[in-house]
Amino acid sequence: MIRVLVGEEEPPILRDVVNRIEAVDPRFTVVETAYDGRRAMELLDSTPVDVVFTDINMPLCDGLKLLEHVSSHYPHVLSIVLSGYQEFSYAQQAIRYGVADYLLKPVKDENLKAVLEDLHERYTSRRTREQQQFLNDII
């Protein structure tokens, strides 16, 4: 199970994203949601997650600040941007924080499926490396 946190300020969009993630790929489970970036940061500090989906525009703390927080405090967590904005400056800043992908809203199922498949491959690859390193350390 890959644990997901979703940050999105609009409740109907948040519910839709949560439902679609779990419907498109049952290997992913949304364990936390937040309507603002500050709450998302608090949840990251108290709940282990593997992936963060975040909107760019959120109250109290925007998605870019959240991505910066994830990048500096939780570098193992994969991040995905959900945005209604095609502005290059947002994508450019997100790339600086190591975002795995940038999805434009409304998200199409085929795009979400492709991103989830990529995330699963990255997650599995990282876990395999960690397990191999652990075995090498105890030998």
Side-chain angles (χ1 to χ4, degrees):
M1 170 183 70
I2 300 174
R3 299 161 302 199
V4 179
L5 179 148
V6 179
E8 166 61 56
E9 71 174 325
E10 296 181 44
I13 295 174
L14 176 63
R15 283 190 301 275
D16 181 59
V17 169
V18 168
N19 292 335
R20 289 176 62 212
I21 287 171
E22 294 177 344
V24 168
D25 194 328
R27 298 174 293 189
F28 291 79
T29 301
V30 177
V31 295
E32 294 288 359
T33 60
Y35 295 115
D36 65 73
R38 185 179 302 153
R39 179 69 180 142
M41 284 185 201
E42 291 169 359
L43 290 168
L44 278 169
D45 293 338
S46 64
T47 306
V49 300
D50 305 302
V51 177
V52 171
F53 280 78
T54 184
D55 189 8
I56 293 290
N57 290 319
M58 290 191 295
L60 303 179
C61 170
D62 69 19
L64 292 174
K65 279 287 189 197
L66 176 58
L67 291 171
E68 180 181 27
H69 182 77
V70 169
S71 175
S72 62
H73 293 90
Y74 305 98
H76 65 283
V77 173
L78 299 165
S79 300
I80 303 295
V81 170
L82 298 167
S83 182
Y85 300 96
Q86 294 184 27
E87 291 189 33
F88 178 70
S89 62
Y90 288 145
Q92 187 177 33
Q93 190 65 34
I95 289 167
R96 287 189 187 117
Y97 298 131
V99 71
D101 215 320
Y102 193 104
L103 292 171
L104 291 175
K105 294 190 281 187
V107 178
K108 296 178 182 171
D109 279 347
E110 59 268 16
N111 294 344
L112 181 60
K113 184 175 176 108
V115 165
L116 292 175
E117 188 59 41
D118 179 59
L119 289 171
H120 182 264
E121 288 176 19
R122 289 176 187 229
Y123 173 82
T124 303
S125 176
R126 187 190 82 227
R127 296 287 294 173
T128 301
R129 283 192 311 273
E130 289 170 353
Q131 290 170 348
Q132 186 62 47
Q133 185 60 47
F134 175 75
L135 291 173
N136 288 342
D137 289 347
I138 63 172
I139 295 178

